[in-house]
Amino acid sequence: MEIPAKTKLSFAVSDTCDHLDILYAGTLPPHNGGSAIVGYQLLVGLARVGHSIRAIAPITSETLAAGDKFARCHPEIRISRFLVPFFNNSPDQAMSRDYQSAEASAIVGAFGAAILERRPDLLIIGRETFAWHLPDLAKSKNIPSMLLVQGAGLFGMAHSFSSVDRDRLAEQFGKVDLIVAVARHLEGPMQELGLPRATTIANPVDLSRFFPAPKDAGLMMRLGLHADRFIIAHISNLKGLKRTSDIVASAREVVRREPRATYLVVGDGHCRERMEAECRRLEILDHFRFVGWVDHEKVADYINLADAVVMPSESEAMALVYLETQACGRLLIASDIPAAREAVSDGETGLLFRMGDTADLTQKILLAADDPALRDRIGCTARARVKEHDLEHFVAAYERAARAVVRKSRALV
């Protein structure tokens, strides 16, 4: 989840129209989170089919001092970084005015420098909160724009932003030429907020990287995991929306009834310290392994260690971990929220439990522990079904959408 190395993709070059000069403004690694991963997969794919790709993306001074490994690994994307005080991993929460002001100034400056060098054919805004600043700038230069709605900013508009901020951001959404949502279920909340209709292009999974594989014995040894363990993984940025406390609450009963159970927590965030403290209080810390952030290209190794992957979130757009778990043929156990229902047919491609009901979560985990055949059957079906999210299809859909926006804009000139 930190810094992906060069992605090995092969796409057929499009035979329609000319190649586009695309400017992307959003998160990219080493920013941790799904929007950065989706952004880099999209940009690498578009570059591989011949488009000229430039990007402006945030970075912290500490990370920059360590060297921008992602930019070095991906010379096909010309990346201009702008400094932020810290990486904002919770766009569902309003940032302080000081942070907003610093981010706005940096984005405006980076955008101005990019278009001074060369006017792009298209601006792709890869983060909902960047729509505070960019649609007006794009319109002032007659640059058509697309906005990727990945859900967290939308959730903030519905639940945590002030009415003033919500209405202003909704107004900004209306100024782009095309909104692309990463899951169908987001269309309903967008309509409730009075936002323009969106096109849906579902989040991708790289099937060449995420596929079923045996448990890595060396990694098991490094983590102190024995072969007889029943391993339950959770992979996220460990923020409140992920409901990580439900994992710990359920684990107390799970380990009592299934002593082989061991939890593998991959990722980091402000809830990690609370999780560890609660595990210590309940005297189950020895059943947990807290790994921290790992490179996205290594996530498959951790998923393939798991017998089940648990995602108890109260809100998701289309979690990459859902798709990556299914692509690895592992059992996904997810809270019964719209995003999970879009990815999971209960009992066929995963198991759903009532969100916030730790007793139901416990029951589903114990069911999985007791029935290896069930895990294998669901994992096999999920692997076959998730192919519709293949990365190549994802890039092709975005390319078609981008060309359509540019053609429409040119026709109006």
Side-chain angles (χ1 to χ4, degrees):
M1 290 190 290
E2 284 185 353
I3 305 171
K6 184 178 287 291
T7 307
K8 298 178 176 63
L9 306 175
S10 67
F11 297 106
V13 176
S14 172
D15 60 1
T16 59
C17 303
D18 53 335
H19 295 135
L20 301 176
D21 187 314
I22 296 173
L23 178 64
Y24 169 90
T27 57
L28 289 172
H31 191 285
N32 293 305
S35 66
I37 300 303
V38 171
Y40 99 76
Q41 290 178 321
L42 173 61
L43 297 188
V44 169
L46 291 172
R48 295 292 170 83
V49 297
H51 300 292
S52 174
I53 305 297
R54 293 177 291 159
I56 55 178
I59 200 165
T60 64
S61 55
E62 294 82 0
T63 310
L64 187 60
D68 194 341
K69 180 181 176 183
F70 177 80
R72 292 198 308 272
C73 290
H74 291 283
E76 68 272 40
I77 307 171
R78 288 187 54 202
I79 304 174
S80 298
R81 297 289 191 176
F82 61 88
L83 287 175
V84 290
F86 57 87
F87 286 133
N88 174 16
N89 285 319
S90 298
D92 54 297
Q93 302 294 322
M95 287 290 100
S96 71
R97 293 301 178 190
D98 286 345
Y99 187 96
Q100 290 181 11
S101 177
E103 183 182 68
S105 177
I107 290 173
V108 170
F111 177 82
I115 65 170
L116 186 62
E117 176 191 353
R118 188 171 70 253
R119 179 189 179 279
D121 297 310
L122 176 68
L123 170 68
I124 298 179
I125 304 171
R127 190 171 178 84
E128 288 130 285
T129 51
F130 283 17
W132 286 117
H133 324 292
L134 291 171
D136 287 326
L137 292 173
K139 279 196 170 296
S140 71
K141 302 298 181 181
N142 294 316
I143 300 170
S145 59
M146 293 170 56
L147 170 66
L148 278 59
V149 172
Q150 305 203 45
L154 189 65
F155 185 87
M157 292 171 70
H159 298 282
S160 60
F161 290 5
S162 70
S163 59
V164 172
D165 284 349
R166 179 197 65 217
D167 292 346
R168 178 168 173 257
L169 190 54
E171 181 183 0
Q172 293 298 98
F173 276 32
K175 295 177 181 179
V176 301
D177 295 275
L178 179 67
I179 297 175
V180 179
V182 301
R184 291 188 303 274
H185 72 89
L186 296 177
E187 295 176 12
M190 290 182 66
Q191 291 173 7
E192 291 174 8
L193 289 166
L195 299 174
R197 184 174 179 82
T199 293
T200 297
I201 301 176
N203 266 347
V205 61
D206 185 351
L207 296 174
S208 69
R209 176 175 290 170
F210 291 89
F211 54 86
K215 297 184 180 186
D216 184 325
L219 183 56
M220 292 275 286
M221 184 178 297
R222 290 195 297 274
L223 293 170
L225 296 170
H226 299 292
D228 66 341
R229 297 289 90 182
F230 178 74
I231 300 174
I232 305 145
H234 173 75
I235 304 171
S236 81
N237 52 17
L238 305 188
K239 61 183 180 179
L241 287 177
K242 305 298 181 179
R243 297 189 67 93
T244 53
S245 59
D246 289 355
I247 297 173
V248 179
S250 167
R252 184 181 191 181
E253 180 64 12
V254 168
V255 301
R256 185 186 72 80
R257 296 170 59 182
E258 177 47 87
R260 298 178 304 142
T262 303
Y263 289 77
L264 183 63
V265 181
V266 180
D268 214 337
H270 67 267
C271 290
R272 174 174 173 172
E273 185 176 346
R274 192 184 318 156
M275 283 185 78
E276 293 189 33
E278 189 63 7
C279 287
R280 196 174 294 110
R281 186 185 72 81
L282 295 174
E283 299 182 343
I284 57 174
L285 188 58
D286 58 334
H287 286 270
F288 277 74
R289 304 290 187 275
F290 289 89
V291 176
W293 293 116
V294 302
D295 190 287
H296 185 246
E297 69 175 5
K298 297 177 183 176
V299 168
D301 296 336
Y302 289 86
I303 292 176
N304 279 316
L305 286 189
D307 298 289
V309 174
V310 172
M311 294 294 292
S313 311
E314 67 183 65
S315 176
E316 296 280 1
M318 179 53 65
L320 295 179
V321 175
Y322 290 170
L323 307 176
E324 292 164 353
T325 298
Q326 292 177 323
C328 289
R330 291 318 198 246
L331 173 63
L332 173 65
I333 303 176
S335 51
D336 189 4
I337 58 175
R341 291 195 292 274
E342 194 164 322
V344 174
S345 296
D346 190 25
E348 295 181 17
T349 59
L351 296 176
L352 300 178
F353 68 94
R354 292 183 294 276
M355 192 269 291
D357 187 337
T358 56
D360 194 28
L361 171 57
T362 299
Q363 188 272 328
K364 296 296 168 59
I365 292 174
L366 292 172
L367 172 66
D370 290 340
D371 197 339
L374 174 73
R375 301 198 303 268
D376 290 345
R377 175 179 61 78
I378 290 178
C380 184
T381 304
R383 168 71 183 178
R385 193 84 56 85
V386 82
K387 290 179 180 178
E388 66 189 45
H389 290 273
D390 180 63
L391 187 54
E392 186 169 349
H393 300 157
F394 165 83
V395 173
Y398 267 100
E399 187 186 28
R400 288 192 297 271
R403 289 188 182 282
V405 169
V406 172
R407 279 198 298 267
K408 183 177 179 180
S409 173
R410 289 174 178 173
L412 295 175
V413 174

